[in-house]
Amino acid sequence: MAIEQLGIAVLWSFLYGYLIVASIDFGAGFYAYYGRISGVETVIAPVISRYLSPVWEVTNVFLVFFFVGIVGFFPETAHYYGTALLIPGSIALLLLAVRGSFYAFANYGVNKNSFYLLAYGATGLLIPAALSTVFTISEGGFLTVRGNDVFLLMEELFYSTYSWAVVLLALSSVLFISSTFLTYYAARANDPKALEQMRRFALWGGVPTIISSLFVFIALRNHNLEHFQRTLDVWWLFGLSLVSFIIAIWFIWNRRSYGTAFVMVLLQFAFAFYGYGISHMPYLLYPYLTLYGGVTNPVMGRALVIAFVAGFALLVPSLVLLLKMFLFNARYVKGDLA
Amino acid sequence: MGTVDWSRALTEMTLAFHILFATVGVGVPLFISLAEWLGIRKKDRHYSLMARRWARGFVITVAVGVVTGTCIGLQLSLLWPEFMRLAGHIVSLPLFLETFAFFFEAIFLGIYLYTWDRYSNPYLHWLLTLPVMIGSSGSALFITTVNAFMNTPQGFAVREGKLTDIDPLAAMFNPATPSKVLHVLFSAYLTVAFLLGMIAAFSMLRGRKDEYYRKSLRLNMTAAAILAVATIGIGDMSAQFLAKEQPEKLAAAEWHFDTGERASLIVGGRLNPVTQEIAGALEIPWALSLLATHSLDGTVVGLNDFPRKDWPPLYVHYLFDAMVGIGFYLLAVPILFLALLIIKRWNAYNRFVLACALAGGPLALLAIELGWFYAEVGRQPWIIRGYLRVSDAATTNSHVNLAFWLFAGLYAVLGVVCLFVLARLFRNQPAELELETRRIIL
């Protein structure tokens, strides 16, 4: 595999990791706030806080990893995306900053203030909406390049059907991934009330996820026909994604194997995400930047890959340890360990 | 102000805010580890409680450190795309490694915070502080190599406008790396010793008498004495490095214009920029030569050897002097305290010493700010010294002023809420109360 393909595969995998852990986190924020205002807080909140507390910081790192990595492997992206995304990027950062710090304030500070929780819940929906527009922009048509200047066409972005379809898909995916995970976590915690609540969210969340993903396909066909046709080349990946989705819903519907159901959701998003990614190739930004035009020099590419392998050897066992302690430790999950 | 100025202002603001939390983030794990170890080793639950209380405050500051670190990480690409486009080819390795170190720290910090009572052998829990320390100091190390590279770039060549011969390791381990990394690490440890000592001193000044506070002050002041000596020693190493590799930066800090031997050190004063005459300064003969070359008749390069357009702003002189002044203050306080403690004739915990220790906390943070402003402003007009000017590296997007105000609002809110939460965290739960509920009676 050439260095640029290896690089993008690594980065894409990290972005997938972020998609999953961040969705769980973002959705949980929304459910936590929903729980507070609808009076079922005592049911959902303990489950959420037991899972989230030890891992929130890790979530953030996945994202940092991605954007540091993409500028490392493909320095040209700094020029195009960096220049154009100043304002949307700043807004996304602002939301991330408010979310991360207010989570800590609410959780480790002394009292549980409703305002902190609102900030936490609202940003859980706004951040995925903001971040997903980067995917939209990468399809082309939203930037003008004049010499060394790159401009973002905010108006076009705002009035684009494709852009809104992606936002819709992002939001529904966040809520769906999060609720299927929390269903599983509640089941492990032997908490039938929380389980029932989360299961209902999961079943309802599945419907808009599928509808909005179809919507995205249709809108992509109108917006970027070339990319749409490439997606047809890997149609089987999207087919597998749909199959995984159906199996997941079937399990949850029948109140069994919530763990397998969540794995199926992971597969559903993996197939769709890699399908989207593969069909997006070789473009990093239609039509200005490809994998081959934007790649770093081979020496740095090799150094990054070596660093990545070494780092991975360190991180994977640590992550496994983290998960073992807080996700697969039955006593912790049930709240027996403070 | 133009786009370049706004970009500089926003970067300055983000760094100035982030560096406070980053410093705390690098230093505190060392002290948590030390206190927990002492607690286990001496079977002294005061120290164990110290570790717990520090860890509790620490997560709040870590959260702000993480989110502002994310901000500066992305702002590098948003505000300085041309810098990242070029530097990405040469220094993305340490940037990448920094993320790894940070990842490592985040994982183990999560485990550490939630497993206080899970192990029957307390040393196992203490062991978790090691990866946290390695991660936090490691990320400081990697990111500082990038800053070092901006000062003394190497590990590449430019041929016909193209980058060639790239050597990522040579770029990382450039001449500025050793002194810069050590200076960043040790000044962070020293600052944290004073911040933690400040909390104990504050409680004692407010009339709290428990032995807990005395132990905390003793631990922190002992550490501070050692760390202050180390930091000043490393500061000397930095001066030597500057004299050799980046003489214009040292010359600007010292208002040293004409190259020559037996140069005198100028402290304070007022400069007439036209005649280069200095009034009202304390002049120490030969001291600059001694500082820069470790020899009384060593030659120190002056600013007039460089074209005017490559001069850094000359106000860095004051930043440098204030930083060094605070450095010596941070050495004097713990020495005074320890001397009183050893002599035993006077009370080492008298109000004067406590007030000095209290002032040490904010002063140490101020010195960190002064040091970073000197490091960054002293490199002007370059972003990569000798290769890329700041003015050529900034974004062409004209909305930077909007971003500036957005972030100004964010940092104001974060700063205020963070202080408020921290204050309440400790006010609602003084150490005495916690000692009682945990039934620690000694």
Side-chain angles (χ1 to χ4, degrees):
Chain A
M1 205 188 250
I3 212 94
E4 47 272 350
Q5 288 164 343
L6 194 62
I8 197 72
V10 163
L11 292 172
W12 200 243
S13 304
F14 261 87
L15 200 56
Y16 171 72
Y18 181 68
L19 174 92
I20 297 298
V21 289
S23 291
I24 293 175
D25 181 43
F26 291 148
F30 173 77
Y31 292 126
Y33 186 68
Y34 174 84
R36 165 76 61 97
I37 54 170
S38 67
V40 289
E41 186 185 20
T42 43
V43 180
I44 316 175
V47 169
I48 291 175
S49 97
R50 268 206 299 283
Y51 161 73
L52 280 185
S53 303
V55 299
W56 70 268
E57 206 190 338
V58 175
T59 310
N60 208 38
V61 191
F62 273 96
L63 180 66
V64 178
F65 207 104
F66 176 76
F67 67 65
V68 168
I70 193 139
V71 175
F73 273 109
F74 306 102
E76 288 295 308
T77 53
H79 172 63
Y80 287 98
Y81 285 106
T83 310
L85 293 182
L86 176 67
I87 294 303
S90 296
I91 291 172
L93 272 179
L94 213 69
L95 294 170
L96 277 169
V98 165
R99 179 183 182 77
S101 47
F102 277 56
Y103 176 75
F105 295 157
N107 215 41
Y108 306 113
V110 180
N111 78 333
K112 307 261 170 199
N113 186 316
S114 263
F115 174 71
Y116 294 160
L117 201 61
L118 172 65
Y120 185 65
T123 51
L125 293 184
L126 292 173
I127 294 169
L131 292 181
S132 67
T133 55
V134 180
F135 288 122
T136 310
I137 291 166
S138 77
E139 296 296 341
F142 300 104
L143 297 182
T144 22
V145 177
R146 246 177 268 141
N148 216 20
D149 289 3
V150 186
F151 301 96
L152 177 62
L153 308 170
M154 287 294 246
E155 215 167 296
E156 313 253 328
L157 191 64
F158 190 79
Y159 290 115
S160 148
T161 330
Y162 179 69
S163 159
W164 287 105
V166 171
V167 167
L168 211 62
L169 177 62
L171 292 184
S172 53
S173 305
V174 159
L175 293 177
F176 181 60
I177 294 173
S178 186
S179 58
T180 50
F181 173 79
L182 290 170
T183 306
Y184 161 63
Y185 204 81
R188 281 189 56 94
N190 278 343
D191 188 338
K193 266 197 191 149
L195 170 63
E196 202 39 50
Q197 187 73 250
M198 293 319 304
R199 178 179 166 269
R200 231 181 11 244
F201 285 133
L203 290 175
W204 280 109
V207 182
T209 310
I210 286 302
I211 293 176
S212 56
S213 58
L214 288 176
F215 194 33
V216 165
F217 270 107
I218 298 166
L220 180 64
R221 186 160 180 263
N222 293 328
H223 184 79
N224 183 338
L225 191 62
E226 186 185 349
H227 185 185
F228 177 75
Q229 273 157 354
R230 282 180 210 258
T231 63
L232 298 183
D233 296 342
V234 287
W235 64 271
W236 52 276
L237 279 170
F238 296 100
L240 284 173
S241 171
L242 187 63
V243 171
S244 314
F245 169 75
I246 292 168
I247 299 174
I249 288 293
W250 185 81
F251 277 129
I252 295 174
W253 182 266
N254 288 307
R255 294 174 201 279
R256 49 182 288 209
S257 312
Y258 293 114
T260 321
F262 180 63
V263 172
M264 283 298 144
V265 172
L266 292 183
L267 287 177
Q268 174 202 341
F269 280 90
F271 286 129
F273 195 66
Y274 283 92
Y276 172 80
I278 291 167
S279 58
H280 204 294
M281 291 296 103
Y283 285 100
L284 293 171
L285 172 64
Y286 276 94
Y288 300 107
L289 191 60
T290 65
L291 220 50
Y292 307 100
V295 73
T296 188
N297 61 87
V299 185
M300 180 54 81
R302 230 175 357 251
L304 289 178
V305 169
I306 294 169
F308 178 79
V309 171
F312 217 58
L314 196 70
L315 284 188
V316 168
S318 319
L319 269 175
V320 168
L321 183 67
L322 181 75
L323 294 180
K324 245 175 89 170
M325 290 195 135
F326 300 110
L327 198 53
F328 302 118
N329 182 318
R331 281 177 61 213
Y332 176 81
V333 173
K334 283 175 195 158
D336 294 344
L337 296 169
Chain B
M1 289 208 309
T3 302
V4 176
D5 295 316
W6 280 112
S7 300
R8 282 190 63 190
L10 178 48
T11 310
E12 273 172 358
M13 180 171 66
T14 302
L15 280 176
F17 190 68
H18 173 66
I19 197 62
L20 301 173
F21 294 91
T23 301
V24 170
V26 170
V28 173
L30 176 72
F31 285 84
I32 292 177
S33 180
L34 202 61
E36 191 177 7
W37 180 76
L38 279 173
I40 304 170
R41 165 118 204 178
K42 293 187 167 182
K43 295 201 169 44
D44 185 336
R45 297 183 65 185
H46 277 137
Y47 288 109
S48 312
L49 181 66
M50 247 173 247
R52 270 182 194 255
R53 285 173 67 84
W54 290 344
R56 213 178 296 146
F58 180 58
V59 274
I60 306 277
T61 60
V62 164
V64 182
V66 170
V67 298
T68 52
T70 311
C71 288
I72 188 64
L74 196 54
Q75 278 177 359
L76 279 181
S77 296
L78 294 177
L79 298 175
W80 310 101
E82 303 312 308
F83 165 68
M84 287 307 283
R85 193 186 195 180
L86 179 69
H89 282 280
I90 316 162
V91 288
S92 40
L93 179 67
L95 285 171
F96 203 54
L97 289 174
E98 195 248 349
T99 330
F100 264 123
F102 174 51
F103 212 147
F104 192 58
E105 178 200 348
I107 292 173
F108 282 94
L109 186 65
I111 299 177
Y112 180 78
L113 290 174
Y114 288 90
T115 51
W116 279 100
D117 301 311
R118 255 209 228 182
Y119 300 101
S120 49
N121 180 351
Y123 278 112
L124 282 177
H125 185 254
W126 171 77
L127 277 180
L128 291 170
T129 60
L130 301 183
V132 175
M133 264 193 295
I134 294 170
S136 59
S137 294
S139 49
L141 182 154
F142 291 125
I143 204 66
T144 309
T145 64
V146 176
N147 187 269
F149 170 85
M150 292 160 73
N151 283 283
T152 52
Q154 66 171 35
F156 65 97
V158 184
R159 283 205 196 100
E160 293 156 13
K162 283 209 155 88
L163 289 173
T164 55
D165 302 333
I166 285 165
D167 180 349
L169 287 180
M172 241 175 106
F173 297 103
N174 59 72
T177 298
S179 56
K180 226 176 223 302
V181 167
L182 287 174
H183 198 54
V184 163
L185 286 178
F186 277 84
S187 59
Y189 301 146
L190 174 62
T191 301
V192 166
F194 265 94
L195 285 175
L196 297 172
M198 168 189 82
I199 299 172
F202 179 72
S203 303
M204 290 171 84
L205 280 171
R206 297 267 305 258
R208 303 258 178 79
K209 291 205 167 52
D210 199 278
E211 182 61 20
Y212 173 88
Y213 301 107
R214 291 169 173 248
K215 281 183 183 162
S216 169
L217 197 64
R218 275 208 300 277
L219 172 63
N220 289 310
M221 286 301 116
T222 313
I226 301 166
L227 291 167
V229 172
T231 306
I232 291 171
I234 295 160
D236 177 62
M237 184 179 157
S238 307
Q240 303 256 317
F241 148 77
L242 284 178
K244 198 162 154 253
E245 303 280 351
Q246 217 178 349
E248 77 280 13
K249 197 173 185 177
L250 184 70
E254 304 292 1
W255 285 350
H256 179 62
F257 295 98
D258 298 314
T259 303
E261 41 196 50
R262 301 193 183 173
S264 47
L265 184 73
I266 290 160
V267 180
R270 281 185 320 279
L271 178 73
N272 180 335
V274 183
T275 58
Q276 301 184 344
E277 276 166 12
I278 297 159
L282 174 67
E283 251 183 74
I284 310 169
W286 302 337
L288 182 58
S289 284
L290 188 66
L291 183 75
T293 62
H294 280 187
S295 147
L296 286 179
D297 27 55
T299 305
V300 185
V301 179
L303 263 184
N304 288 337
D305 285 14
F306 298 88
R308 275 252 174 183
K309 66 178 180 26
D310 291 348
W311 284 17
L314 293 174
Y315 72 83
V316 294
H317 175 64
Y318 297 113
L319 306 180
F320 181 83
D321 281 359
M323 172 188 75
V324 175
I326 294 174
F328 280 99
Y329 174 85
L330 299 180
L331 176 67
V333 174
I335 286 184
L336 173 68
F337 172 78
L338 292 177
L340 291 175
L341 209 59
I342 294 165
I343 298 168
K344 284 194 179 139
R345 214 176 125 193
W346 296 283
N347 174 19
Y349 304 93
N350 68 58
R351 292 190 74 80
F352 175 71
V353 173
L354 290 179
C356 287
L358 180 73
L363 282 175
L365 284 178
L366 179 64
I368 296 277
E369 295 284 4
L370 292 166
W372 273 111
F373 271 91
Y374 168 51
E376 298 302 284
V377 176
R379 195 191 55 243
Q380 303 300 320
W382 303 104
I383 193 163
I384 302 175
R385 181 173 170 264
Y387 293 93
L388 184 64
R389 278 172 197 270
V390 170
S391 51
D392 298 327
T395 180
T396 48
N397 192 313
S398 55
H399 299 295
V400 189
N401 52 352
L402 176 62
F404 177 89
W405 294 114
L406 279 177
F407 281 101
L410 172 74
Y411 301 145
V413 170
L414 286 187
V416 169
V417 179
C418 176
L419 281 179
F420 173 74
V421 170
L422 277 177
R424 203 163 50 182
L425 189 65
F426 288 102
R427 200 179 328 121
N428 290 359
Q429 212 173 6
E432 284 88 350
L433 195 74
E434 232 180 309
L435 289 167
E436 216 168 278
T437 50
R438 290 179 187 279
R439 292 192 196 80
I440 303 172
I441 300 155
L442 291 161

Short mmCIF file of all heavy atoms in Angstrom, two decimals, chain A residues 265-294:
data_model
loop_
_atom_site.label_atom_id
_atom_site.label_comp_id
_atom_site.label_asym_id
_atom_site.label_seq_id
_atom_site.Cartn_x
_atom_site.Cartn_y
_atom_site.Cartn_z
N VAL A 265 -24.58 -2.44 15.35
CA VAL A 265 -24.64 -1.00 15.05
C VAL A 265 -23.25 -0.50 14.69
O VAL A 265 -23.07 0.28 13.74
CB VAL A 265 -25.20 -0.23 16.26
CG1 VAL A 265 -25.09 1.27 16.04
CG2 VAL A 265 -26.64 -0.61 16.49
N LEU A 266 -22.23 -1.00 15.41
CA LEU A 266 -20.86 -0.62 15.08
C LEU A 266 -20.54 -1.00 13.64
O LEU A 266 -19.96 -0.23 12.88
CB LEU A 266 -19.86 -1.31 16.01
CG LEU A 266 -19.84 -0.90 17.48
CD1 LEU A 266 -18.74 -1.64 18.23
CD2 LEU A 266 -19.61 0.61 17.60
N LEU A 267 -20.95 -2.23 13.27
CA LEU A 267 -20.69 -2.71 11.90
C LEU A 267 -21.47 -1.87 10.89
O LEU A 267 -20.96 -1.50 9.83
CB LEU A 267 -21.08 -4.18 11.77
CG LEU A 267 -20.13 -5.15 12.45
CD1 LEU A 267 -20.65 -6.58 12.31
CD2 LEU A 267 -18.74 -5.05 11.81
N GLN A 268 -22.71 -1.58 11.24
CA GLN A 268 -23.54 -0.77 10.33
C GLN A 268 -22.82 0.52 9.97
O GLN A 268 -22.71 0.88 8.79
CB GLN A 268 -24.87 -0.45 11.02
CG GLN A 268 -25.76 0.50 10.23
CD GLN A 268 -26.77 1.20 11.12
OE1 GLN A 268 -27.07 0.74 12.23
NE2 GLN A 268 -27.31 2.31 10.64
N PHE A 269 -22.31 1.20 11.00
CA PHE A 269 -21.64 2.47 10.73
C PHE A 269 -20.27 2.28 10.11
O PHE A 269 -19.84 3.09 9.30
CB PHE A 269 -21.60 3.33 12.00
CG PHE A 269 -22.90 4.02 12.23
CD1 PHE A 269 -23.89 3.40 12.99
CD2 PHE A 269 -23.17 5.24 11.65
CE1 PHE A 269 -25.12 4.01 13.18
CE2 PHE A 269 -24.40 5.85 11.83
CZ PHE A 269 -25.38 5.24 12.60
N ALA A 270 -19.59 1.18 10.47
CA ALA A 270 -18.30 0.92 9.85
C ALA A 270 -18.46 0.73 8.34
O ALA A 270 -17.76 1.37 7.54
CB ALA A 270 -17.65 -0.31 10.47
N PHE A 271 -19.40 -0.11 7.94
CA PHE A 271 -19.59 -0.35 6.50
C PHE A 271 -19.94 0.94 5.77
O PHE A 271 -19.37 1.26 4.73
CB PHE A 271 -20.70 -1.39 6.27
CG PHE A 271 -20.27 -2.79 6.60
CD1 PHE A 271 -21.03 -3.60 7.44
CD2 PHE A 271 -19.09 -3.32 6.05
CE1 PHE A 271 -20.63 -4.90 7.75
CE2 PHE A 271 -18.70 -4.62 6.35
CZ PHE A 271 -19.46 -5.40 7.21
N ALA A 272 -20.87 1.68 6.35
CA ALA A 272 -21.30 2.90 5.67
C ALA A 272 -20.17 3.93 5.62
O ALA A 272 -19.94 4.57 4.61
CB ALA A 272 -22.52 3.49 6.39
N PHE A 273 -19.43 4.05 6.73
CA PHE A 273 -18.39 5.07 6.84
C PHE A 273 -17.24 4.77 5.89
O PHE A 273 -16.74 5.65 5.19
CB PHE A 273 -17.91 5.13 8.29
CG PHE A 273 -17.11 6.35 8.61
CD1 PHE A 273 -17.69 7.61 8.60
CD2 PHE A 273 -15.77 6.25 8.96
CE1 PHE A 273 -16.96 8.74 8.92
CE2 PHE A 273 -15.03 7.37 9.27
CZ PHE A 273 -15.62 8.61 9.25
N TYR A 274 -16.82 3.48 5.87
CA TYR A 274 -15.74 3.13 4.95
C TYR A 274 -16.24 3.16 3.50
O TYR A 274 -15.49 3.53 2.59
CB TYR A 274 -15.13 1.77 5.31
CG TYR A 274 -14.20 1.87 6.50
CD1 TYR A 274 -14.66 1.66 7.79
CD2 TYR A 274 -12.87 2.22 6.32
CE1 TYR A 274 -13.82 1.77 8.89
CE2 TYR A 274 -12.01 2.35 7.41
CZ TYR A 274 -12.50 2.12 8.69
OH TYR A 274 -11.67 2.25 9.77
N GLY A 275 -17.49 2.78 3.29
CA GLY A 275 -18.06 2.88 1.94
C GLY A 275 -18.01 4.31 1.44
O GLY A 275 -17.56 4.59 0.33
N TYR A 276 -18.41 5.23 2.31
CA TYR A 276 -18.38 6.65 1.95
C TYR A 276 -16.93 7.07 1.70
O TYR A 276 -16.63 7.72 0.69
CB TYR A 276 -18.99 7.48 3.07
CG TYR A 276 -18.82 8.96 2.89
CD1 TYR A 276 -19.65 9.68 2.04
CD2 TYR A 276 -17.81 9.65 3.57
CE1 TYR A 276 -19.49 11.03 1.86
CE2 TYR A 276 -17.64 11.01 3.39
CZ TYR A 276 -18.48 11.70 2.55
OH TYR A 276 -18.30 13.05 2.36
N GLY A 277 -16.04 6.67 2.60
CA GLY A 277 -14.64 7.08 2.49
C GLY A 277 -13.99 6.55 1.22
O GLY A 277 -13.32 7.30 0.51
N ILE A 278 -14.20 5.26 0.94
CA ILE A 278 -13.56 4.67 -0.24
C ILE A 278 -14.07 5.34 -1.51
O ILE A 278 -13.30 5.65 -2.42
CB ILE A 278 -13.82 3.15 -0.26
CG1 ILE A 278 -13.05 2.48 0.88
CG2 ILE A 278 -13.43 2.54 -1.60
CD1 ILE A 278 -13.46 1.06 1.15
N SER A 279 -15.38 5.61 -1.55
CA SER A 279 -15.90 6.21 -2.77
C SER A 279 -15.48 7.67 -2.89
O SER A 279 -15.52 8.24 -3.97
CB SER A 279 -17.42 6.07 -2.80
OG SER A 279 -17.98 6.69 -1.66
N HIS A 280 -15.09 8.28 -1.79
CA HIS A 280 -14.64 9.68 -1.82
C HIS A 280 -13.26 9.78 -2.46
O HIS A 280 -12.85 10.83 -2.97
CB HIS A 280 -14.59 10.22 -0.39
CG HIS A 280 -14.70 11.71 -0.29
ND1 HIS A 280 -13.75 12.56 -0.76
CD2 HIS A 280 -15.67 12.49 0.24
CE1 HIS A 280 -14.13 13.81 -0.52
NE2 HIS A 280 -15.29 13.79 0.09
N MET A 281 -12.50 8.70 -2.42
CA MET A 281 -11.14 8.70 -2.93
C MET A 281 -11.14 8.91 -4.43
O MET A 281 -12.07 8.51 -5.10
CB MET A 281 -10.46 7.38 -2.57
CG MET A 281 -10.20 7.22 -1.09
SD MET A 281 -9.04 8.45 -0.48
CE MET A 281 -10.13 9.59 0.34
N PRO A 282 -10.10 9.48 -5.00
CA PRO A 282 -8.89 9.96 -4.33
C PRO A 282 -9.00 11.40 -3.85
O PRO A 282 -7.99 11.99 -3.52
CB PRO A 282 -7.87 9.86 -5.46
CG PRO A 282 -8.65 10.21 -6.68
CD PRO A 282 -10.04 9.69 -6.45
N TYR A 283 -10.18 11.96 -3.81
CA TYR A 283 -10.29 13.38 -3.47
C TYR A 283 -10.32 13.62 -1.97
O TYR A 283 -11.05 12.95 -1.25
CB TYR A 283 -11.56 13.99 -4.09
CG TYR A 283 -11.43 14.20 -5.56
CD1 TYR A 283 -11.99 13.30 -6.45
CD2 TYR A 283 -10.73 15.29 -6.05
CE1 TYR A 283 -11.85 13.48 -7.82
CE2 TYR A 283 -10.58 15.48 -7.42
CZ TYR A 283 -11.14 14.57 -8.30
OH TYR A 283 -10.99 14.76 -9.64
N LEU A 284 -9.51 14.59 -1.52
CA LEU A 284 -9.65 15.07 -0.16
C LEU A 284 -10.58 16.27 -0.16
O LEU A 284 -11.24 16.57 0.83
CB LEU A 284 -8.29 15.49 0.42
CG LEU A 284 -7.29 14.36 0.64
CD1 LEU A 284 -5.93 14.94 1.00
CD2 LEU A 284 -7.76 13.44 1.74
N LEU A 285 -10.58 16.97 -1.29
CA LEU A 285 -11.48 18.11 -1.45
C LEU A 285 -11.78 18.21 -2.95
O LEU A 285 -10.89 18.54 -3.73
CB LEU A 285 -10.79 19.39 -0.94
CG LEU A 285 -11.53 20.69 -1.23
CD1 LEU A 285 -12.86 20.72 -0.51
CD2 LEU A 285 -10.70 21.89 -0.80
N TYR A 286 -13.02 17.90 -3.31
CA TYR A 286 -13.42 18.04 -4.71
C TYR A 286 -13.37 19.50 -5.08
O TYR A 286 -13.87 20.33 -4.32
CB TYR A 286 -14.86 17.55 -4.91
CG TYR A 286 -15.01 16.07 -5.09
CD1 TYR A 286 -15.28 15.25 -4.00
CD2 TYR A 286 -14.93 15.50 -6.35
CE1 TYR A 286 -15.45 13.88 -4.16
CE2 TYR A 286 -15.10 14.13 -6.51
CZ TYR A 286 -15.36 13.32 -5.41
OH TYR A 286 -15.52 11.98 -5.58
N PRO A 287 -12.85 19.89 -6.20
CA PRO A 287 -12.00 19.15 -7.13
C PRO A 287 -10.55 19.56 -6.97
O PRO A 287 -9.75 19.30 -7.84
CB PRO A 287 -12.55 19.64 -8.48
CG PRO A 287 -12.92 21.08 -8.20
CD PRO A 287 -13.23 21.20 -6.74
N TYR A 288 -10.23 20.24 -5.86
CA TYR A 288 -8.92 20.89 -5.75
C TYR A 288 -7.79 19.99 -5.27
O TYR A 288 -6.65 20.18 -5.63
CB TYR A 288 -9.00 22.09 -4.80
CG TYR A 288 -9.97 23.13 -5.25
CD1 TYR A 288 -11.19 23.31 -4.60
CD2 TYR A 288 -9.68 23.93 -6.37
CE1 TYR A 288 -12.09 24.26 -5.04
CE2 TYR A 288 -10.58 24.88 -6.80
CZ TYR A 288 -11.79 25.03 -6.14
OH TYR A 288 -12.67 25.97 -6.57
N LEU A 289 -8.14 19.06 -4.41
CA LEU A 289 -7.07 18.39 -3.69
C LEU A 289 -7.30 16.89 -3.68
O LEU A 289 -8.37 16.42 -3.28
CB LEU A 289 -7.06 18.93 -2.25
CG LEU A 289 -5.87 18.58 -1.39
CD1 LEU A 289 -4.60 19.09 -2.00
CD2 LEU A 289 -6.08 19.18 0.00
N THR A 290 -6.30 16.15 -4.15
CA THR A 290 -6.39 14.70 -4.06
C THR A 290 -5.35 14.21 -3.07
O THR A 290 -4.45 14.94 -2.66
CB THR A 290 -6.11 14.02 -5.41
OG1 THR A 290 -4.76 14.27 -5.76
CG2 THR A 290 -7.06 14.50 -6.49
N LEU A 291 -5.52 12.94 -2.75
CA LEU A 291 -4.58 12.25 -1.89
C LEU A 291 -3.14 12.43 -2.38
O LEU A 291 -2.22 12.64 -1.59
CB LEU A 291 -4.93 10.77 -2.00
CG LEU A 291 -4.89 9.89 -0.80
CD1 LEU A 291 -5.65 10.54 0.31
CD2 LEU A 291 -5.52 8.55 -1.15
N TYR A 292 -2.96 12.37 -3.69
CA TYR A 292 -1.61 12.34 -4.25
C TYR A 292 -1.03 13.73 -4.35
O TYR A 292 0.18 13.93 -4.25
CB TYR A 292 -1.63 11.63 -5.61
CG TYR A 292 -2.28 10.28 -5.48
CD1 TYR A 292 -3.62 10.08 -5.84
CD2 TYR A 292 -1.57 9.22 -4.91
CE1 TYR A 292 -4.22 8.84 -5.65
CE2 TYR A 292 -2.18 7.99 -4.71
CZ TYR A 292 -3.50 7.80 -5.08
OH TYR A 292 -4.09 6.59 -4.87
N GLY A 293 -1.90 14.73 -4.54
CA GLY A 293 -1.40 16.10 -4.64
C GLY A 293 -1.07 16.68 -3.28
O GLY A 293 -0.25 17.58 -3.16
N GLY A 294 -1.70 16.18 -2.23
CA GLY A 294 -1.57 16.84 -0.93
C GLY A 294 -0.66 16.15 0.04
O GLY A 294 -0.44 16.61 1.14
#
